[in-house]
Amino acid sequence: MKKPLLQSVFVLLLALAAGSAFAQIAPKAYAPENLRTLSVQDQTRVISLEYSEQSRGRRIPDDQLRFYLDQVNRSNWTFSRIKQDIAQSLGGNSGGWDPNPPAHGQTILCESKSGDARRCTPPWRGPSRLVRQLSSSRCIENTTWSSQDGLITVWKGCRGEFAAAGGSTGSIRCESNDGRGRTCRTPWSGHSRLTRQLSNAACIEGRSWQSQQGQVYVGNGCRAEFAPRIGGGGGGSSDYSVTCSSEDNRRKTCAYDPRQGRPILLQQISKTSCREGYSWGYAGNQIWVDRGCRGRFGPR
């Protein structure tokens, strides 16, 4: 009686071992190097499988997946590049990928690894300043890094430590909840400009928001951050502006007169957020927009 029992136990153990081995090798992520030959659905599937395989069954965070899909379709990242980045994101980091580096005291690290653009959200509002360059590649404002209220962007290998730029102006948030109108007082006495749209509803100056001396009014579901509107500098005309639109999420360039001074986003027209260094920027005599950003640009 003991022998048949031992044989049954042995067969059961073999079956369990085979099942375990199959479970380990089944979810393999096979894909061509050029992931752009696949549909977005298949790109999502193979990237998710690769992450699950490297992380021993964990699900890829949604923001990391969106980041990879964006890099594949806009920066031509290969499958090998994706696999390498997943390995780096999991190495020594039990929490997985963190799109925003942790702050250290009053500073934050923001690093462009392998020359790719990286966006970091600091713990303060308002503009930021570079306090220490960490890379051999130079960190030059508006050339390899930029600052916008609530966002730091680095690219072309710039790795640096950033802090709040200081000053008492900063920015405020004003929100029209449930479509109701709201007036928000500002810590500055002059007019304001929209720096970041937070709502799905469009924030259009004169329609869903307007600025008066020392206050901002929002309505029709507009929720956004605002900063002081500074008078035209660099000898430019305060009436000069250029409207530039990214149609079908494609990149577009628009002529801009550099004699007017450095351009800023005067008015966001699109529902898609316009963020300097990410979905809009400028170089020489041109402004570029991308990723669905549509806005009106002009000098400070």
Side-chain angles (χ1 to χ4, degrees):
M1 295 295 293
K2 291 184 178 180
K3 188 174 181 180
L5 179 60
L6 290 175
Q7 289 177 342
S8 299
V9 172
F10 181 69
V11 171
L12 179 60
L13 290 174
L14 284 177
L16 290 174
S20 176
F22 178 78
Q24 290 177 6
I25 65 174
K28 286 287 184 181
Y30 296 106
E33 274 297 282
N34 183 7
L35 292 177
R36 297 186 70 178
T37 61
L38 302 177
S39 65
V40 174
Q41 182 178 359
D42 285 337
Q43 291 172 7
T44 300
R45 177 180 57 81
V46 296
I47 292 173
S48 299
L49 282 176
E50 180 61 32
Y51 185 91
S52 177
E53 188 177 324
Q54 291 197 36
S55 64
R56 299 181 180 179
R58 294 212 307 268
R59 179 178 177 274
I60 186 171
D62 291 340
D63 54 356
Q64 186 171 1
L65 176 59
R66 286 193 298 268
F67 172 78
Y68 287 147
L69 291 173
D70 191 59
Q71 294 304 313
V72 166
N73 294 291
R74 296 190 180 276
S75 302
N76 294 319
W77 274 30
T78 63
F79 189 44
S80 295
R81 181 70 179 278
I82 296 288
K83 291 193 289 187
Q84 179 184 7
D85 196 85
I86 289 174
Q88 291 176 347
S89 73
L90 294 171
N93 183 5
S94 59
W97 185 75
D98 183 2
N100 301 317
H104 300 282
Q106 296 300 313
T107 64
I108 185 174
L109 297 179
C110 198
E111 301 175 290
S112 164
K113 297 181 178 179
S114 304
D116 297 312
R118 176 80 182 275
R119 302 180 298 279
C120 307
T121 304
W124 55 81
R125 292 187 179 182
S128 305
R129 59 186 175 89
L130 177 70
V131 295
R132 186 161 62 103
Q133 179 175 303
L134 304 174
S135 56
S136 55
S137 301
R138 295 186 63 187
C139 293
I140 304 173
E141 187 172 10
N142 298 320
T143 301
T144 57
W145 76 272
S146 66
S147 166
Q148 189 179 12
D149 290 344
L151 190 71
I152 298 170
T153 306
V154 292
W155 63 96
K156 293 184 179 179
C158 168
R159 296 186 295 111
E161 187 174 354
F162 298 85
S168 59
T169 55
S171 65
I172 66 162
R173 177 177 296 190
C174 198
E175 300 177 288
S176 165
N177 295 315
D178 300 324
R180 299 176 181 176
R182 183 183 177 189
T183 300
C184 304
R185 295 189 179 275
T186 62
W188 51 86
S189 58
H191 286 273
S192 305
R193 61 185 175 91
L194 186 149
T195 59
R196 185 163 64 130
Q197 179 174 307
L198 305 173
S199 57
N200 292 326
C203 293
I204 303 175
E205 187 172 7
R207 292 177 56 185
S208 54
W209 78 272
Q210 60 184 2
S211 167
Q212 298 178 358
Q213 295 286 344
Q215 62 184 27
V216 173
Y217 169 83
V218 292
N220 299 325
C222 169
R223 298 184 296 109
E225 289 183 355
F226 299 88
R229 176 173 292 173
I230 305 171
S237 169
S238 60
D239 295 329
Y240 179 83
S241 67
V242 172
T243 299
C244 202
S245 302
S246 166
E247 303 295 343
D248 298 325
N249 292 321
R250 296 178 180 177
R251 187 182 180 97
K252 182 181 178 181
T253 57
C254 302
Y256 179 82
D257 185 356
R259 295 173 298 179
Q260 301 295 328
R262 183 187 187 281
I264 62 171
L265 177 65
L266 298 176
Q267 178 185 355
Q268 179 173 300
I269 301 173
S270 58
K271 292 183 179 179
T272 304
S273 178
C274 293
R275 298 181 178 179
E276 186 174 2
Y278 173 66
S279 54
W280 82 272
Y282 77 98
N285 62 349
Q286 289 185 330
I287 292 174
W288 62 265
V289 290
D290 202 353
R291 296 176 168 86
C293 167
R294 294 185 295 115
R296 183 168 63 87
F297 304 88
R300 288 182 180 275

